[in-house]
Amino acid sequence: MKKVFLLTTALLLSFYCMAQQQLAFPFQGGDKAMTQFFSDSIMVSKDIIRSKANGTVIFKFTADEKGAIKKLVIYYADDAILAPPLIEALRKSSNKWVIPDHEKSHDFILSFSVGFIPPADGAPSPHKGLYNFYQKHKPILSTNQVPLDNVTLLPTVLVKYKLD
């Protein structure tokens, strides 16, 4: 009787452990491939460099079963000038997203942190340009409720650019 109870417990425990499977990273090739893809795909505009813009942009997008991006929403951006090159790079990533097998589409939240590489010693200080940017920046804010039913939060992508 003890053996039957022990065997039943072991089977139930092994079944429970199998149900706790890890999801694969939702970008083809993994997180390093995603980081490399975005670092290669994002072309920082001259307007961003000229205004010494920096900040965060947060997107929510939907990928279908083929990995194509179907819907793209900006939930937050420190300034509207930061969004266009990031939207373009996200559109290039279409067909590279992997969603769970049992779903027809899946939502993702991806944030980008944009900033410049600090100048070397002896170079002119960017403080005045930063101050001007923050004085005149126009943030994009979500004024509606943000539905977060079944969404995957992805790691932040860092975008660094050199000042001219």
Side-chain angles (χ1 to χ4, degrees):
M1 185 68 174
K2 282 186 178 181
K3 290 183 181 179
V4 172
F5 178 71
L6 187 59
L7 180 63
T8 305
T9 305
L11 285 173
L12 287 173
L13 184 61
S14 66
F15 178 73
Y16 176 75
C17 291
M18 289 180 72
Q20 299 293 321
Q21 294 177 351
Q22 288 277 352
L23 287 177
F25 194 81
F27 191 84
Q28 291 176 4
D31 61 340
K32 291 181 182 174
M34 182 185 82
T35 303
Q36 186 63 44
F37 174 82
F38 283 116
S39 67
D40 293 342
S41 298
I42 296 172
M43 300 298 168
V44 178
S45 69
K46 293 183 190 280
D47 291 336
I48 292 174
I49 296 170
R50 192 176 332 109
S51 65
K52 295 176 179 55
N54 59 21
T56 301
V57 182
I58 300 173
F59 293 99
K60 180 180 175 195
F61 63 94
T62 303
D64 68 5
E65 54 200 3
K66 294 178 183 174
I69 294 177
K70 292 296 178 190
K71 186 171 34 170
L72 181 63
V73 178
I74 300 174
Y75 278 145
Y76 177 78
D78 278 324
D79 191 71
I81 197 171
L82 297 170
L86 303 176
I87 291 170
E88 186 178 324
L90 265 171
R91 288 193 175 137
K92 288 179 188 176
S93 75
S94 199
N95 297 322
K96 294 189 180 292
W97 298 98
V98 179
I99 66 169
D101 291 335
H102 62 281
E103 296 182 18
K104 293 198 183 289
S105 66
H106 191 79
D107 293 334
F108 298 97
I109 293 179
L110 180 59
S111 61
F112 292 89
S113 178
V114 180
F116 56 83
I117 299 169
D121 292 339
S125 175
H127 289 94
K128 185 176 181 184
L130 275 171
Y131 179 72
N132 288 337
F133 170 72
Y134 275 108
Q135 215 174 20
K136 298 175 185 174
H137 80 287
K138 297 175 186 105
I140 298 173
L141 304 170
S142 176
T143 57
N144 294 335
Q145 178 180 348
V146 179
L148 297 176
D149 293 333
N150 192 11
V151 67
T152 301
L153 177 62
L154 298 168
T156 301
V157 175
L158 298 176
V159 179
K160 296 287 186 185
Y161 62 90
K162 291 182 180 181
L163 296 173
D164 288 339

